[in-house]
Each structure stands twice: as C-alpha cells, then as structure tokens.
Short mmCIF file of all heavy atoms in Angstrom, two decimals:
data_model
loop_
_atom_site.label_atom_id
_atom_site.label_comp_id
_atom_site.label_asym_id
_atom_site.label_seq_id
_atom_site.Cartn_x
_atom_site.Cartn_y
_atom_site.Cartn_z
N HIS A 1 28.78 -33.20 -24.04
CA HIS A 1 28.59 -31.85 -24.57
C HIS A 1 29.34 -31.75 -25.90
O HIS A 1 30.56 -31.88 -25.94
CB HIS A 1 29.14 -30.81 -23.58
CG HIS A 1 28.80 -29.40 -23.96
ND1 HIS A 1 28.12 -28.53 -23.13
CD2 HIS A 1 29.05 -28.69 -25.09
CE1 HIS A 1 27.97 -27.36 -23.73
NE2 HIS A 1 28.54 -27.44 -24.92
N LEU A 2 28.59 -31.53 -26.99
CA LEU A 2 29.17 -31.46 -28.33
C LEU A 2 29.18 -30.04 -28.85
O LEU A 2 28.30 -29.24 -28.52
CB LEU A 2 28.37 -32.32 -29.32
CG LEU A 2 28.39 -33.83 -29.16
CD1 LEU A 2 27.60 -34.46 -30.30
CD2 LEU A 2 29.80 -34.36 -29.13
N ASP A 3 30.15 -29.75 -29.72
CA ASP A 3 30.21 -28.48 -30.42
C ASP A 3 29.89 -28.77 -31.89
O ASP A 3 30.70 -29.36 -32.61
CB ASP A 3 31.60 -27.86 -30.28
CG ASP A 3 31.75 -26.54 -31.01
OD1 ASP A 3 30.76 -26.08 -31.63
OD2 ASP A 3 32.86 -25.97 -30.99
N ALA A 4 28.72 -28.35 -32.36
CA ALA A 4 28.29 -28.66 -33.72
C ALA A 4 29.28 -28.14 -34.76
O ALA A 4 29.50 -28.79 -35.80
CB ALA A 4 26.90 -28.08 -33.98
N LYS A 5 29.87 -26.99 -34.51
CA LYS A 5 30.80 -26.40 -35.48
C LYS A 5 32.05 -27.26 -35.66
O LYS A 5 32.71 -27.19 -36.69
CB LYS A 5 31.19 -24.99 -35.05
CG LYS A 5 30.06 -23.97 -35.01
CD LYS A 5 30.57 -22.56 -34.82
CE LYS A 5 31.32 -22.37 -33.51
NZ LYS A 5 30.46 -22.57 -32.33
N ALA A 6 32.39 -28.06 -34.65
CA ALA A 6 33.62 -28.84 -34.69
C ALA A 6 33.44 -30.21 -35.34
O ALA A 6 34.43 -30.89 -35.63
CB ALA A 6 34.17 -29.02 -33.27
N VAL A 7 32.20 -30.62 -35.57
CA VAL A 7 31.93 -31.96 -36.11
C VAL A 7 32.21 -31.95 -37.62
O VAL A 7 31.54 -31.24 -38.37
CB VAL A 7 30.48 -32.39 -35.84
CG1 VAL A 7 30.22 -33.77 -36.45
CG2 VAL A 7 30.20 -32.41 -34.33
N PRO A 8 33.18 -32.74 -38.09
CA PRO A 8 33.50 -32.71 -39.53
C PRO A 8 32.48 -33.50 -40.35
O PRO A 8 32.22 -34.68 -40.08
CB PRO A 8 34.89 -33.37 -39.59
CG PRO A 8 34.97 -34.23 -38.37
CD PRO A 8 34.10 -33.59 -37.32
N VAL A 9 31.88 -32.84 -41.33
CA VAL A 9 30.92 -33.47 -42.24
C VAL A 9 31.28 -33.03 -43.66
O VAL A 9 31.41 -31.83 -43.93
CB VAL A 9 29.47 -33.06 -41.93
CG1 VAL A 9 28.50 -33.82 -42.84
CG2 VAL A 9 29.12 -33.33 -40.47
N GLN A 10 31.44 -33.99 -44.56
CA GLN A 10 31.73 -33.66 -45.96
C GLN A 10 30.60 -32.81 -46.54
O GLN A 10 29.43 -33.09 -46.29
CB GLN A 10 31.88 -34.97 -46.74
CG GLN A 10 32.51 -34.83 -48.11
CD GLN A 10 32.64 -36.18 -48.80
OE1 GLN A 10 31.65 -36.81 -49.10
NE2 GLN A 10 33.88 -36.62 -49.02
N PRO A 11 30.92 -31.77 -47.33
CA PRO A 11 29.86 -30.91 -47.87
C PRO A 11 28.77 -31.68 -48.62
O PRO A 11 27.59 -31.34 -48.51
CB PRO A 11 30.62 -29.96 -48.80
CG PRO A 11 32.01 -29.93 -48.27
CD PRO A 11 32.26 -31.29 -47.69
N GLU A 12 29.16 -32.70 -49.38
CA GLU A 12 28.17 -33.49 -50.12
C GLU A 12 27.22 -34.21 -49.18
O GLU A 12 26.02 -34.29 -49.44
CB GLU A 12 28.87 -34.50 -51.04
CG GLU A 12 29.62 -33.89 -52.20
CD GLU A 12 31.01 -33.40 -51.82
OE1 GLU A 12 31.38 -33.47 -50.63
OE2 GLU A 12 31.73 -32.93 -52.73
N VAL A 13 27.75 -34.74 -48.08
CA VAL A 13 26.92 -35.43 -47.09
C VAL A 13 26.00 -34.43 -46.41
O VAL A 13 24.80 -34.70 -46.21
CB VAL A 13 27.79 -36.17 -46.06
CG1 VAL A 13 26.94 -36.75 -44.94
CG2 VAL A 13 28.59 -37.28 -46.74
N LYS A 14 26.54 -33.27 -46.08
CA LYS A 14 25.72 -32.23 -45.44
C LYS A 14 24.59 -31.81 -46.37
O LYS A 14 23.45 -31.60 -45.93
CB LYS A 14 26.61 -31.03 -45.09
CG LYS A 14 25.92 -29.98 -44.23
CD LYS A 14 26.90 -28.87 -43.82
CE LYS A 14 27.92 -29.37 -42.83
NZ LYS A 14 28.76 -28.25 -42.29
N GLY A 15 24.88 -31.70 -47.67
CA GLY A 15 23.86 -31.32 -48.63
C GLY A 15 22.76 -32.36 -48.75
O GLY A 15 21.57 -32.01 -48.76
N VAL A 16 23.14 -33.63 -48.83
CA VAL A 16 22.14 -34.71 -48.93
C VAL A 16 21.28 -34.73 -47.67
O VAL A 16 20.05 -34.85 -47.75
CB VAL A 16 22.83 -36.07 -49.14
CG1 VAL A 16 21.83 -37.21 -49.00
CG2 VAL A 16 23.49 -36.13 -50.51
N CYS A 17 21.91 -34.60 -46.52
CA CYS A 17 21.16 -34.61 -45.26
C CYS A 17 20.19 -33.44 -45.19
O CYS A 17 19.05 -33.58 -44.72
CB CYS A 17 22.12 -34.59 -44.07
SG CYS A 17 23.00 -36.14 -43.82
N GLY A 18 20.62 -32.27 -45.67
CA GLY A 18 19.73 -31.11 -45.67
C GLY A 18 18.53 -31.32 -46.55
O GLY A 18 17.40 -30.94 -46.20
N MET A 19 18.72 -31.96 -47.71
CA MET A 19 17.62 -32.20 -48.64
C MET A 19 16.63 -33.24 -48.12
O MET A 19 15.43 -33.16 -48.37
CB MET A 19 18.17 -32.65 -50.00
CG MET A 19 18.96 -31.57 -50.72
SD MET A 19 19.72 -32.18 -52.24
CE MET A 19 18.25 -32.38 -53.27
N LEU A 20 17.15 -34.23 -47.38
CA LEU A 20 16.31 -35.34 -46.92
C LEU A 20 15.89 -35.22 -45.46
O LEU A 20 15.17 -36.09 -44.95
CB LEU A 20 17.04 -36.67 -47.14
CG LEU A 20 17.41 -36.99 -48.60
CD1 LEU A 20 18.16 -38.31 -48.66
CD2 LEU A 20 16.16 -37.05 -49.47
N GLY A 21 16.32 -34.18 -44.80
CA GLY A 21 15.94 -33.99 -43.40
C GLY A 21 16.59 -34.98 -42.45
O GLY A 21 15.99 -35.41 -41.47
N LEU A 22 17.85 -35.35 -42.73
CA LEU A 22 18.56 -36.32 -41.90
C LEU A 22 19.63 -35.62 -41.06
O LEU A 22 20.11 -34.55 -41.42
CB LEU A 22 19.23 -37.38 -42.78
CG LEU A 22 18.29 -38.21 -43.66
CD1 LEU A 22 19.10 -39.12 -44.58
CD2 LEU A 22 17.34 -39.03 -42.81
N GLU A 23 20.00 -36.24 -39.97
CA GLU A 23 21.05 -35.74 -39.09
C GLU A 23 22.32 -36.56 -39.33
O GLU A 23 22.33 -37.78 -39.11
CB GLU A 23 20.62 -35.85 -37.63
CG GLU A 23 21.72 -35.60 -36.60
CD GLU A 23 22.43 -34.28 -36.79
OE1 GLU A 23 21.79 -33.22 -36.65
OE2 GLU A 23 23.64 -34.32 -37.11
N PRO A 24 23.42 -35.94 -39.82
CA PRO A 24 24.64 -36.70 -40.11
C PRO A 24 25.16 -37.50 -38.92
O PRO A 24 25.77 -38.55 -39.10
CB PRO A 24 25.65 -35.61 -40.51
CG PRO A 24 24.81 -34.47 -40.99
CD PRO A 24 23.55 -34.51 -40.17
N LEU A 25 24.90 -37.01 -37.70
CA LEU A 25 25.37 -37.73 -36.51
C LEU A 25 24.74 -39.11 -36.37
O LEU A 25 25.27 -39.96 -35.66
CB LEU A 25 25.07 -36.91 -35.25
CG LEU A 25 26.00 -35.72 -34.99
CD1 LEU A 25 25.40 -34.77 -33.98
CD2 LEU A 25 27.38 -36.21 -34.52
N TYR A 26 23.62 -39.36 -37.06
CA TYR A 26 22.96 -40.66 -36.97
C TYR A 26 23.16 -41.51 -38.21
O TYR A 26 22.55 -42.58 -38.34
CB TYR A 26 21.47 -40.47 -36.69
CG TYR A 26 21.19 -39.94 -35.30
CD1 TYR A 26 20.34 -38.85 -35.12
CD2 TYR A 26 21.79 -40.50 -34.19
CE1 TYR A 26 20.10 -38.35 -33.85
CE2 TYR A 26 21.56 -40.01 -32.92
CZ TYR A 26 20.71 -38.93 -32.76
OH TYR A 26 20.47 -38.44 -31.50
N LEU A 27 23.98 -41.05 -39.15
CA LEU A 27 24.29 -41.87 -40.31
C LEU A 27 25.55 -42.69 -40.04
O LEU A 27 26.51 -42.21 -39.43
CB LEU A 27 24.51 -40.99 -41.54
CG LEU A 27 23.25 -40.37 -42.17
CD1 LEU A 27 23.63 -39.54 -43.38
CD2 LEU A 27 22.24 -41.44 -42.57
N ALA A 28 25.53 -43.92 -40.53
CA ALA A 28 26.60 -44.86 -40.22
C ALA A 28 27.94 -44.47 -40.82
O ALA A 28 28.02 -43.87 -41.88
CB ALA A 28 26.22 -46.25 -40.72
N CYS A 29 28.98 -44.84 -40.11
CA CYS A 29 30.35 -44.77 -40.59
C CYS A 29 30.91 -46.20 -40.59
O CYS A 29 30.46 -47.05 -39.82
CB CYS A 29 31.23 -43.91 -39.68
SG CYS A 29 30.55 -42.28 -39.30
N GLU A 30 31.87 -46.48 -41.45
CA GLU A 30 32.55 -47.78 -41.41
C GLU A 30 34.07 -47.62 -41.40
O GLU A 30 34.78 -48.58 -41.59
CB GLU A 30 32.12 -48.65 -42.60
CG GLU A 30 30.74 -49.26 -42.45
CD GLU A 30 30.63 -50.29 -41.35
OE1 GLU A 30 31.68 -50.75 -40.84
OE2 GLU A 30 29.49 -50.65 -40.97
N GLY A 31 34.51 -46.37 -41.12
CA GLY A 31 35.94 -46.14 -41.03
C GLY A 31 36.26 -45.01 -40.07
O GLY A 31 37.26 -44.31 -40.22
N ARG A 32 35.37 -44.83 -39.07
CA ARG A 32 35.54 -43.73 -38.13
C ARG A 32 35.44 -44.24 -36.69
O ARG A 32 34.59 -45.07 -36.37
CB ARG A 32 34.46 -42.66 -38.36
CG ARG A 32 34.52 -42.03 -39.74
CD ARG A 32 35.76 -41.16 -39.89
NE ARG A 32 35.83 -40.54 -41.22
CZ ARG A 32 36.61 -40.98 -42.20
NH1 ARG A 32 37.38 -42.04 -42.03
NH2 ARG A 32 36.63 -40.36 -43.37
N LEU A 33 36.28 -43.69 -35.84
CA LEU A 33 36.29 -44.03 -34.43
C LEU A 33 35.87 -42.84 -33.59
O LEU A 33 36.12 -41.69 -33.97
CB LEU A 33 37.69 -44.47 -33.98
CG LEU A 33 38.32 -45.65 -34.72
CD1 LEU A 33 39.78 -45.78 -34.32
CD2 LEU A 33 37.56 -46.93 -34.43
N VAL A 34 35.25 -43.11 -32.46
CA VAL A 34 35.05 -42.13 -31.40
C VAL A 34 36.01 -42.50 -30.28
O VAL A 34 36.01 -43.64 -29.80
CB VAL A 34 33.60 -42.14 -30.88
CG1 VAL A 34 33.46 -41.20 -29.68
CG2 VAL A 34 32.63 -41.72 -31.99
N ILE A 35 36.86 -41.57 -29.90
CA ILE A 35 37.85 -41.80 -28.85
C ILE A 35 37.61 -40.82 -27.72
O ILE A 35 37.41 -39.62 -27.95
CB ILE A 35 39.28 -41.63 -29.40
CG1 ILE A 35 39.55 -42.65 -30.52
CG2 ILE A 35 40.32 -41.76 -28.29
CD1 ILE A 35 40.88 -42.44 -31.23
N MET A 36 37.63 -41.33 -26.49
CA MET A 36 37.53 -40.47 -25.31
C MET A 36 38.77 -40.67 -24.46
O MET A 36 39.13 -41.81 -24.12
CB MET A 36 36.27 -40.80 -24.51
CG MET A 36 34.99 -40.51 -25.30
SD MET A 36 33.50 -40.75 -24.32
CE MET A 36 32.24 -40.40 -25.58
N ALA A 37 39.42 -39.56 -24.16
CA ALA A 37 40.69 -39.59 -23.42
C ALA A 37 40.81 -38.29 -22.64
O ALA A 37 40.16 -37.29 -22.96
CB ALA A 37 41.86 -39.76 -24.38
N PRO A 38 41.64 -38.27 -21.60
CA PRO A 38 41.83 -37.03 -20.83
C PRO A 38 42.24 -35.87 -21.74
O PRO A 38 42.97 -36.04 -22.72
CB PRO A 38 42.96 -37.39 -19.85
CG PRO A 38 42.84 -38.87 -19.68
CD PRO A 38 42.41 -39.39 -21.03
N LYS A 39 41.76 -34.67 -21.39
CA LYS A 39 42.01 -33.49 -22.24
C LYS A 39 43.50 -33.27 -22.52
O LYS A 39 43.87 -32.85 -23.62
CB LYS A 39 41.44 -32.24 -21.56
CG LYS A 39 39.93 -32.11 -21.65
CD LYS A 39 39.47 -30.81 -21.00
CE LYS A 39 37.96 -30.69 -21.05
NZ LYS A 39 37.48 -29.44 -20.39
N GLU A 40 44.36 -33.56 -21.53
CA GLU A 40 45.78 -33.30 -21.73
C GLU A 40 46.40 -34.21 -22.80
O GLU A 40 47.49 -33.94 -23.31
CB GLU A 40 46.55 -33.45 -20.41
CG GLU A 40 46.46 -34.82 -19.78
CD GLU A 40 45.32 -34.96 -18.78
OE1 GLU A 40 44.34 -34.18 -18.89
OE2 GLU A 40 45.41 -35.84 -17.92
N GLU A 41 45.71 -35.29 -23.15
CA GLU A 41 46.20 -36.20 -24.18
C GLU A 41 45.63 -35.87 -25.57
O GLU A 41 46.12 -36.36 -26.58
CB GLU A 41 45.82 -37.65 -23.84
CG GLU A 41 46.29 -38.14 -22.49
CD GLU A 41 47.76 -38.50 -22.49
OE1 GLU A 41 48.42 -38.34 -23.54
OE2 GLU A 41 48.25 -38.94 -21.43
N ALA A 42 44.56 -35.06 -25.60
CA ALA A 42 43.75 -34.94 -26.81
C ALA A 42 44.52 -34.38 -28.00
O ALA A 42 44.45 -34.90 -29.12
CB ALA A 42 42.52 -34.08 -26.54
N GLU A 43 45.27 -33.30 -27.79
CA GLU A 43 45.98 -32.68 -28.92
C GLU A 43 47.01 -33.63 -29.51
O GLU A 43 47.19 -33.72 -30.73
CB GLU A 43 46.65 -31.38 -28.47
CG GLU A 43 45.67 -30.26 -28.14
CD GLU A 43 44.88 -29.78 -29.35
OE1 GLU A 43 45.31 -30.04 -30.50
OE2 GLU A 43 43.82 -29.16 -29.15
N GLY A 44 47.72 -34.36 -28.66
CA GLY A 44 48.70 -35.33 -29.14
C GLY A 44 48.05 -36.45 -29.93
O GLY A 44 48.60 -36.91 -30.95
N ILE A 45 46.87 -36.90 -29.48
CA ILE A 45 46.15 -37.95 -30.20
C ILE A 45 45.71 -37.46 -31.57
O ILE A 45 45.88 -38.15 -32.58
CB ILE A 45 44.93 -38.41 -29.37
CG1 ILE A 45 45.40 -39.16 -28.12
CG2 ILE A 45 44.00 -39.29 -30.20
CD1 ILE A 45 44.29 -39.47 -27.13
N VAL A 46 45.16 -36.25 -31.62
CA VAL A 46 44.71 -35.69 -32.91
C VAL A 46 45.89 -35.50 -33.85
O VAL A 46 45.80 -35.80 -35.05
CB VAL A 46 43.95 -34.37 -32.69
CG1 VAL A 46 43.70 -33.66 -34.02
CG2 VAL A 46 42.63 -34.63 -31.99
N GLU A 47 46.99 -35.03 -33.34
CA GLU A 47 48.19 -34.85 -34.18
C GLU A 47 48.63 -36.19 -34.77
O GLU A 47 48.98 -36.27 -35.97
CB GLU A 47 49.32 -34.24 -33.34
CG GLU A 47 50.57 -33.93 -34.13
CD GLU A 47 51.66 -33.30 -33.28
OE1 GLU A 47 51.37 -32.90 -32.13
OE2 GLU A 47 52.81 -33.23 -33.77
#
C-alpha cells in the first residue's frame, strides 16, 4: 500500500514524466534503495 503524496520525485523529473506520459515509479534509479523494516524501526532508519 503506497501513499502517492509521500513518494519523493524531483520537480524536473515530474515535469518530464508529465509531458511524456511516464510514471516515475517505473523509471530507473542507480542510487536509491527500497528498505522494508518493522514500523517501530522506520523513523530511526529515516533519521
């Protein structure tokens, strides 16, 4: 379950995706991780 408002997207990337009809969630990253951990750990990990 994702919250679209919480997904960080650079304004320039969002603009390009809007013009070309692309979804940023399907564009590649080469310096980003997806981490899944228990909720009680999440704030500490983000900090």
Side-chain angles (χ1 to χ4, degrees):
H1 188 123
L2 292 184
D3 179 1
K5 296 190 298 296
V7 179
V9 184
Q10 194 179 65
E12 291 83 356
V13 173
K14 189 175 290 188
V16 170
C17 288
M19 293 175 71
L20 299 178
L22 300 174
E23 169 53 65
L25 284 164
Y26 291 130
L27 286 180
C29 310
E30 284 293 347
R32 298 291 180 258
L33 302 170
V34 174
I35 298 173
M36 296 185 183
K39 284 182 181 178
E40 60 268 23
E41 304 282 2
E43 291 295 341
I45 291 171
V46 169
E47 184 179 348

